[in-house]
Amino acid sequence: MASGVDRISTLPDAVLHQVLHFLPSQEVVRTCVLARRWLGVWRFMPALRFNGAKGWDSADRFAQFVDHLLHLRFEGDGSACAPLDSCDFDFDADGFMRLPTNEQHASNWIWKVVPSVRMLRLRVVEFGQEPSPLSDLHLVSQHLTKLELVGVGVKDSVVDFSGCPALVELSMDVCDVFVKQLLSPSLKHLRITRCYTSEYTRILISYGDPEYGPIYDRNNSIFLKGLSEATDLELSADSDLILFDRDLKWCPTFTKLKTLLLNDWCLAANHSALICFLQHSPILEKLTLQLSKGPSYVTETEGMYKPLGLSVASNCLKIVEIRCASVDSKVSILFAVVSAKTRGTTSGRPMTIS
């Protein structure tokens, strides 16, 4: 630098983009004043990050900036820009989404980027605030492969992702998911954590063509049937949750399931849920049981699954792992249950405690 040589500007665009993608988009745009070399670097960025109105003079100034940037990026000369790999909208704890007009801004921005982006992340949670009601998720995109929603209120009766044939991963955290059906012909990874749903309506999760999908039947296995094609499954819930009770009564066979993780909720009614999964997972290879510290308080309900007096259909189970804070009577009982409900004994089957 003492020689006055600008070595950073001589780096290839791909390297500059890799460095700049850690910055909010407004900081990236400001690099255009550094030198002529930097005039168009921001326009070809494969990633956009918008961190809300914090640090701006007003929410209106922030909204105007995003409107103008997306206009330049996707319209006019923006059509010649590189494809958009990812776009993050993070409105957490800045107050931006408290005004209906700003919710409309956010909806318009999502609609503008969705047709071109591969990975979209939307975070709108604020402490003590209800999830934002961005319910219009009838998205259409040939490129979207991953969608992450945090603090979004999803309240349409049917959330249909059939317009996104490349979508393979959906993550929903701290969301209000008051829907009857979730449809996707391509989804492979589904993660729903800390979300709220209606206690009167269960969600039908349907993979495949929604036109010929299963008929909604409230007396059938809705939630678990939607997950029956999974190869790796983690079902963790509060110990007093009764969401799975009815589904366990009509539990489907998990013909592809190889790894399974359950926590304390499976201990209710003499481990009936655990036994149910063992009896309906014929090729299960690894079982992980994650136990909370102290006694497990589980709710006993009349509709719980009544275990069949049979072992599992296969002896494919190779590893049983129990994760716990201390070894107590619960662990001993679990060892006995797994041994009794898997063919033969635990001989040759690694059973570990961590």
Side-chain angles (χ1 to χ4, degrees):
M1 297 302 295
S3 64
V5 178
D6 182 1
R7 299 186 185 276
I8 294 179
S9 295
T10 61
L11 294 172
D13 280 359
V15 177
L16 294 179
H17 291 159
Q18 182 65 27
V19 173
L20 293 176
H21 95 278
F22 292 103
L23 297 176
S25 290
Q26 63 266 30
E27 300 292 340
V28 175
V29 172
R30 288 171 183 167
T31 62
C32 69
V33 303
L34 295 176
R36 179 170 295 185
R37 161 76 172 90
W38 291 83
L39 284 176
V41 172
W42 70 268
R43 191 180 293 246
F44 290 88
M45 281 287 296
L48 296 175
R49 291 183 61 196
F50 302 103
N51 291 345
K54 186 177 181 179
W56 290 79
D57 293 339
S58 66
D60 288 340
R61 288 287 301 277
F62 168 71
Q64 291 171 8
F65 166 77
V66 180
D67 284 338
H68 190 53
L69 186 149
L70 295 182
H71 174 77
L72 294 176
R73 184 63 170 76
F74 295 106
E75 300 178 18
D77 293 339
S79 60
C81 292
L84 191 60
D85 289 334
S86 65
C87 183
D88 287 9
F89 291 100
D90 192 342
F91 304 126
D92 186 19
D94 68 357
F96 181 77
M97 296 298 288
R98 292 179 180 176
L99 297 177
T101 54
N102 291 339
E103 288 181 3
Q104 186 59 51
H105 277 304
S107 296
N108 293 338
W109 298 336
I110 292 170
W111 275 101
K112 189 174 287 288
V113 303
V114 157
S116 303
V117 71
R118 295 187 178 96
M119 182 176 68
L120 176 63
R121 179 176 181 267
L122 175 62
R123 180 182 178 89
V124 294
V125 166
E126 296 191 32
F127 183 75
Q129 180 184 345
E130 294 295 322
S132 178
L134 289 174
S135 300
D136 194 358
L137 289 178
H138 299 288
L139 305 180
V140 177
S141 173
Q142 299 298 314
H143 303 287
L144 187 66
T145 61
K146 181 178 180 180
L147 177 62
E148 181 178 339
L149 304 175
V150 182
V152 176
V154 184
K155 299 181 180 180
D156 290 346
S157 59
V158 178
V159 177
D160 187 355
F161 291 105
S162 58
C164 302
L167 183 67
V168 295
E169 185 171 348
L170 172 62
S171 175
M172 305 174 75
D173 186 23
V174 201
C175 292
D176 280 348
V177 190
F178 293 99
V179 302
K180 291 183 177 180
Q181 289 181 296
L182 192 156
L183 308 176
S184 172
S186 56
L187 205 62
K188 295 182 179 179
H189 304 277
L190 174 63
R191 183 173 182 266
I192 302 177
T193 57
R194 299 185 297 173
C195 292
Y196 295 90
T197 62
S198 171
E199 59 181 307
Y200 305 107
T201 303
R202 293 182 298 155
I203 303 173
L204 170 63
I205 302 174
S206 177
Y207 304 103
D209 190 337
E211 184 176 351
Y212 301 100
I215 299 174
Y216 180 75
D217 182 356
R218 67 185 306 271
N219 292 317
N220 206 334
S221 179
I222 301 300
F223 179 72
L224 293 179
K225 187 173 183 179
L227 302 176
S228 61
E229 296 294 306
T231 57
D232 304 280
L233 182 61
E234 174 181 338
L235 284 178
S236 300
D238 292 338
S239 58
D240 60 351
L241 187 71
I242 61 173
L243 171 67
F244 304 126
D245 292 353
R246 183 182 294 161
D247 275 25
L248 287 171
K249 188 175 180 180
W250 291 281
C251 187
T253 299
F254 295 85
T255 58
K256 301 179 182 179
L257 189 63
K258 293 188 176 182
T259 65
L260 173 65
L261 184 149
L262 302 172
N263 70 334
D264 295 76
W265 74 269
C266 72
L267 306 182
N270 293 322
H271 310 86
S272 61
L274 170 60
I275 296 172
C276 176
F277 273 99
L278 289 174
Q279 294 180 337
H280 291 82
S281 306
I283 65 170
L284 185 67
E285 296 179 357
K286 180 179 180 181
L287 171 66
T288 301
L289 301 171
Q290 187 166 290
L291 307 182
S292 60
K293 187 176 181 180
S296 298
Y297 299 97
V298 293
T299 301
E300 309 289 341
T301 59
E302 296 181 359
M304 286 296 294
Y305 167 76
K306 301 298 188 296
L308 303 172
L310 305 171
S311 66
V312 295
S314 171
N315 60 353
C316 293
L317 190 61
K318 300 175 182 178
I319 299 175
V320 178
E321 179 183 7
I322 299 179
R323 300 176 184 174
C324 56
S326 61
V327 178
D328 54 20
S329 59
K330 289 190 301 183
V331 177
S332 300
I333 294 173
L334 282 175
F335 270 108
V337 170
V338 174
S339 298
K341 290 302 176 181
T342 54
R343 184 169 296 174
T345 67
T346 58
S347 176
R349 180 181 298 115
M351 302 185 74
T352 62
I353 301 175
S354 62

